[in-house]
Structure formats: C-alpha cells, structure tokens
C-alpha cells in the first residue's frame, strides 16, 4: 500500500501576534539563553523555535502541487468563528446544567467592553515523548481548564476532515505550542548511516524548572490560518510560516 502523502500545509491558530510579541520576546529568549548555555543544558540553539513560528496546530493537510488547496481556502472562508464558539459553549452549558447558565447570564450583565472571543495563556512545559530522559520535542500547553479552546479546535478539525481535506489522526487532538524541536539541529549524521540521527535530550531538569513558566498570558486569538509547511527567514532575523489564507476570530 502507498504511504500517507507528506503534509504540505496545516490549519492553525497563530500565536505570534502584535499583542503577544512583547511577552514572547521576553519569555522565549530567556528560555533559550538558559537551556543553550554550556553551563546549563547545552541545547543547540537551532532546536529553539523562533518567536514567529509559535502557533497551535489544529491539523495537517497534503496538497501536492497545491491541488486541493483552493477547496481548503474556500472552506476556511465559510467559517464563522463566533457561531462555532457559541455552539461549543451552548453544548457545554447544557451538559453542565443550570449553574453554568446562571454564570453565563451574570457575565452578560457585566459592564465594560466585551472580552475577546477567545484568549490563550501558555503555561508550563511538556514533553512530546513518554520518556523525559530521551526527548526530541518540548511544547507549552494552553491553559484551558474548561476545555472551550480544545472543543473549538476539535470542531474546526472535524469540519476539514469531514470535507476530506485534512488528515484523519487516530488520536485525540493535543493543542501544543512547540518550544523546542531537535529536528532542526543539523549535522547529526553518523558515519555510514543512511538516515540522520535525531538528537535526544535528557529534559527532566528542564521540565522541572519550567513546569509553571508563563510564556504568554491572556492574549486574544486573532486568526485561524492555513499555513505552508516550512518556516521562512524574515528580514528582521525571525522566522514565520507562509500564510496561504486566514480569517479573523470574530
């Protein structure tokens, strides 16, 4: 059987925005300075993800020669995030009972400007691998105690999967903002080896040190985007993914 086609694009919530950049510009460089220091953990600098690449992946898509990309863009533009979120919250309120309904009513009565439709806080550090002593990727999880953000993203993923545009994963959606990934560390080929050896890191102390670290806090989610795989260098030295299409979260 032919293998699964390589992903070329992904649907995501970009997190490197004008509102978040001042926080990420403090937290990420501080983390990088710590863990890349020879006197600390000596992680190669290439493993630390640039600020402009920080995002929450909803799902990956494969469009060889961009075939099918137009359909994905068209579907994205039909989405109404406010309605999706309202349905998510209504279902949660119905399941939780009248207490949640009363809380919702009290929030409506509060004065002042309306809050963002969705906001996110990245707190802590987790490993993508089951063994913290042999890690290739570390991520910051979004704080989502009520599960609203996760259900919102699951709804988006289902919409694209049902349309046959997104790879169906046989696992739950794990919202994560990648902070470190050793796949970007070059020069790991062993002599005579056909495949490049992947650097693994003993991250037990790193995970302990950054268990409650705040990367960004109460930042509005502004866009839902279809991005192209492979971050590109920018003139300012940062990196970012090419956005094929995006809509406002409003």
């Amino acid at each position: 059987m032919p293998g699964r086609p390589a992903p070329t694009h992904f649907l995501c919530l970009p997190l490197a925005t004008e509102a978040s950049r001042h926080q990420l510009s403090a937290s990420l460089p501080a983390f990088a300075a710590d863990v890349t220091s020879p006197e600390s953990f000596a992680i190669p600098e290439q493993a630390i993800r640039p600020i402009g690449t920080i995002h929450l992946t909803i799902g990956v898509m494969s469009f060889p020669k961009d075939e099918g990309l137009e359909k994905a863009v068209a579907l994205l533009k039909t989405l109404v995030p406010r309605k999706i979120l309202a349905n998510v919250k209504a279902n949660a309120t119905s399941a939780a009972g009248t207490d949640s309904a009363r809380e919702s009513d009290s929030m409506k009565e509060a004065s002042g400007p309306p809050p963002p439709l969705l906001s996110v806080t990245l707190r802590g550090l987790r490993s993508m691998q089951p063994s913290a002593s042999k890690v290739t990727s570390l991520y910051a999880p979004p704080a989502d105690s009520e599960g609203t953000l996760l259900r919102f993203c699951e709804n988006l993923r289902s919409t694209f999967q049902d349309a046959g545009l997104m790879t169906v994963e046989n696992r739950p959606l794990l919202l994560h903002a990648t902070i470190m990934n050793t796949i970007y560390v070059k020069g790991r080929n062993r002599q005579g080896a056909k495949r490049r050896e992947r650097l693994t890191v003993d991250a037990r102390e790193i995970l302990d040190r950054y268990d409650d670290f705040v990367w960004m806090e109460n930042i509005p989610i502004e866009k839902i985007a279809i991005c192209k795989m492979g971050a590109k260098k920018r003139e300012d030295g940062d990196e970012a993914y090419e956005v094929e299409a995006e809509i406002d979260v409003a």
Side-chain angles (χ1 to χ4, degrees), residues 188-190 193-198:
R188 292 288 299 177
N189 289 51
R190 289 190 300 177
K194 293 183 179 180
R195 297 184 63 183
R196 187 161 61 92
E197 180 185 4
R198 185 85 177 266

Side-chain angles (χ1 to χ4, degrees), residues 123-129 132 135 137-142 174-180 203 206-207 210-213 215:
R123 182 190 297 273
L125 196 62
R126 304 285 184 270
S127 169
M128 275 293 188
Q129 287 69 43
V135 165
S137 181
L138 297 175
Y139 69 91
L174 175 65
L175 293 179
H176 64 281
T178 302
I179 301 296
M180 184 203 85
I206 300 177
L207 294 172
Y210 289 90
D211 181 59
D212 201 38
F213 187 74
W215 306 90

Side-chain angles (χ1 to χ4, degrees), residues 2 18 24 120 134:
E18 186 175 347
L24 291 174
V120 65
K134 292 184 178 181

